[in-house]
Amino acid sequence: MTPAELEVAELTAELIRVDSSNYGDESGPGERAAAEVVMARLAEVGIEAHYSESAPGRGNVVTRIEGTDPSLPALLVHGHLDVVPANAADWSVDPFAGEIRDGYIWGRGAVDMKDMDAMMLAVLRQMVREGRRPRRDIVFAWVADEEAGGVYGAKYLTANHRDLFDGVTESISEVGGYSLEVDPSLRLYLIETAQKGLSWMRLIADGTAGHGSMLNDSNAVTEVAKAVARLGGHQWPITLTPTVRRFLTEVSEAFGLPFDPENPGPVLEKLGPLVRFVGATLHHTTNPTMLEAGYKANVIPGQASAVVDGRFLPGYEEDFFKTVDELLGPNVRREFVQHDIALETTFDGALVESMIAALKAEDPTARAVPYCMSGGTDNKTFFADLGVRGFGFVPLRLPKDMDFAGMFHGVDERVPVESLQFGVRVLDRLLLNY
């Protein structure tokens, strides 16, 4: 085994053992301790890095490895150091113990995304120890706050340390590059090339306050409730973006099924648990998540509000909001809690070809396919604003029966050691040869 293969599991476990839970309200421990682990492992092999805090404890680490050909644009490889919280009582292991057993590394962040943080470290350390240099400059970034919008991480870095990303035109990061086994002779590797847009909307209705025992034809609670029901119950029509259409076509072909764009259900069934990643990318979604109104059982409040998590398809934002506003009706207004763009790039170019070549070199059964993600990552908005073309590519060859989608933010999150070792081999090939 290579040095990177030998150490990637322990590096992953070491990072998991650092509780960097992000509660979204600035009450968590922050990412400093995890960033210090990264800095220490870089320093061991003589790598200097830029460390900066956007707020006390919110640590970010960036370093650049110079390539042999300065005429080539730089590549950004980035991962986030924060994780979502974990309730230890729900787990069969301590979520922050970084336990390695049964061929898996267990703990919060095992797939989201301290596995990639460790893979980046392992490959970079091996590269430097062996005196190998990539063809182009590679910027490695371990950032804060991705799980709560990136304000203390990618947003802070791109706004205050933009020079760290000079010359970068493309990037790779999370939620892509993992395998779906069709049969022993074929594995599909899903590379993320698109992300739905995000619109968290607060719906607000104003009415006439009054006694709960009296007639009231201007009840704010009623108006918000009706709007929430209309949005939550709306059946958005199937709309296939270029990425989703190609993905479904490729999966249909792989499983020997006819592709019917009007009825993609049979194709989606073949994805198993991975359908959770892509099932919502066939149409817009509007899911109500919060309600707030009133302060006493017999008082009709003068105002009521709700929050809806809206996700819109790349290229169809105007269509999405046109329908949303029609469903709200005249008595409910909306305002943004958070709004992010949708993102889509084509599945072509030298980087895509290099990803495919690196996968096939380590797995001859590999076939790479593009897909759209229903959520979002730091590739969207902040790095996209720098003109960086982003892909989701954390290469993992997974066991056929593993519920990989269920690991993200799930209980008993874990990743196979062999998958990490496969990943560092692929990542090493990609970074040196691209």
Side-chain angles (χ1 to χ4, degrees):
M1 284 191 182
T2 65
E5 290 176 84
L6 290 171
E7 72 176 10
V8 67
E10 184 52 43
L11 287 172
T12 303
E14 183 179 17
L15 287 168
I16 288 172
R17 292 175 192 134
V18 178
D19 182 354
S20 53
S21 298
N22 189 341
Y23 294 90
D25 59 3
E26 304 178 37
S27 65
E31 298 84 2
R32 176 189 292 169
E36 288 174 347
V37 170
V38 173
M39 295 283 286
R41 297 295 165 254
L42 293 177
E44 282 179 351
V45 294
I47 299 174
E48 294 183 0
H50 169 93
Y51 176 77
S52 59
E53 290 191 357
S54 51
R58 311 308 300 267
N60 298 276
V61 181
V62 183
T63 191
R64 180 184 290 254
I65 302 300
E66 291 187 0
T68 57
D69 187 348
S71 69
L72 294 174
L75 174 69
L76 170 63
V77 185
H78 62 99
H80 61 83
L81 293 170
D82 61 322
V83 297
V84 296
N87 182 6
D90 296 333
W91 288 55
S92 61
V93 300
D94 181 341
F96 296 105
E99 185 175 339
I100 303 176
R101 65 175 170 90
D102 301 329
Y104 286 78
I105 305 168
W106 299 65
R108 177 58 84 219
V111 300
D112 189 14
M113 63 172 300
K114 289 181 175 178
D115 57 341
M116 180 59 164
D117 294 331
M119 288 162 60
M120 292 160 56
L121 267 178
V123 169
L124 180 52
R125 282 160 57 90
Q126 176 176 290
M127 193 183 300
V128 172
R129 280 171 169 159
E130 296 177 352
R132 296 180 298 155
R133 292 176 62 192
R135 294 178 61 234
R136 67 189 66 236
D137 283 12
I138 302 177
V139 178
F140 292 83
W142 293 265
V143 306
D145 199 37
E146 191 276 343
E147 296 291 1
V151 171
Y152 295 102
K155 182 176 182 179
Y156 163 79
L157 287 172
T158 53
N160 296 279
H161 299 282
R162 191 171 183 140
D163 58 299
L164 295 173
F165 307 102
D166 284 349
V168 171
T169 59
E170 295 170 308
S171 70
I172 59 172
S173 188
E174 62 179 327
V175 202
Y178 52 87
S179 67
L180 168 64
E181 186 172 328
V182 177
D183 58 49
S185 67
L186 177 62
R187 287 188 188 89
L188 302 180
Y189 285 84
L190 280 62
I191 298 177
E192 181 259 296
T193 61
Q195 298 178 17
K196 291 178 76 175
L198 177 149
S199 182
W200 292 348
M201 298 171 285
R202 178 173 286 107
L203 314 183
I204 304 168
D206 295 306
T208 302
H211 200 287
S213 66
M214 299 180 182
L215 297 175
N216 189 320
D217 58 3
S218 180
N219 190 316
V221 177
T222 302
E223 291 300 328
V224 159
K226 289 190 292 186
V228 165
R230 287 192 295 268
L231 279 174
H234 183 65
Q235 297 297 308
W236 292 95
I238 291 175
T239 304
L240 301 184
T241 63
T243 296
V244 173
R245 181 177 291 275
R246 178 165 177 179
F247 171 75
L248 293 174
T249 302
E250 295 264 14
V251 173
S252 297
E253 180 183 326
F255 283 97
L257 297 172
F259 172 51
D260 180 359
E262 303 298 323
N263 181 29
V267 179
L268 295 176
E269 289 175 4
K270 293 296 184 180
L271 299 178
L274 289 181
V275 74
R276 279 176 279 178
F277 276 147
V278 299
T281 64
L282 278 65
H283 48 72
H284 305 305
T285 57
T286 41
N287 288 312
T289 56
M290 300 172 68
L291 288 167
E292 185 175 0
Y295 54 88
K296 197 172 186 295
N298 63 347
V299 178
I300 299 170
Q303 187 176 91
S305 67
V307 174
V308 172
D309 183 334
R311 310 281 174 144
F312 52 89
L313 297 170
Y316 292 90
E317 182 174 355
E318 183 177 344
D319 164 79
F320 172 78
F321 284 113
K322 180 177 182 293
T323 301
V324 165
D325 289 339
E326 290 172 353
L327 292 170
L328 288 181
N331 299 321
V332 178
R333 66 185 187 278
R334 62 175 170 86
E335 61 184 33
F336 289 137
V337 176
Q338 187 172 336
H339 180 265
D340 283 336
I341 63 170
L343 193 68
E344 185 167 34
T345 188
T346 53
F347 193 58
D348 56 17
L351 177 55
V352 170
E353 292 171 3
S354 294
M355 287 190 284
I356 293 171
L359 286 169
K360 291 189 71 66
E362 296 298 333
D363 181 1
T365 73
R367 180 191 298 174
V369 297
Y371 89 102
C372 178
M373 183 184 171
S374 59
T377 72
D378 279 336
N379 269 335
K380 191 166 62 175
T381 307
F382 308 125
F383 292 123
D385 283 348
L386 299 185
V388 175
R389 184 184 183 214
F391 296 86
F393 188 72
V394 178
L396 296 171
R397 186 173 61 200
L398 301 170
K400 185 175 183 178
D401 59 350
M402 182 179 179
D403 180 5
F404 187 59
M407 296 297 102
F408 284 77
H409 299 189
V411 172
D412 286 343
E413 183 181 349
R414 59 197 179 273
V415 64
V417 172
E418 288 186 351
S419 298
L420 294 179
Q421 293 168 341
F422 171 83
V424 294
R425 294 196 302 271
V426 173
L427 196 60
D428 183 79
R429 285 181 181 275
L430 172 65
L431 299 186
L432 282 172
N433 297 326
Y434 172 49

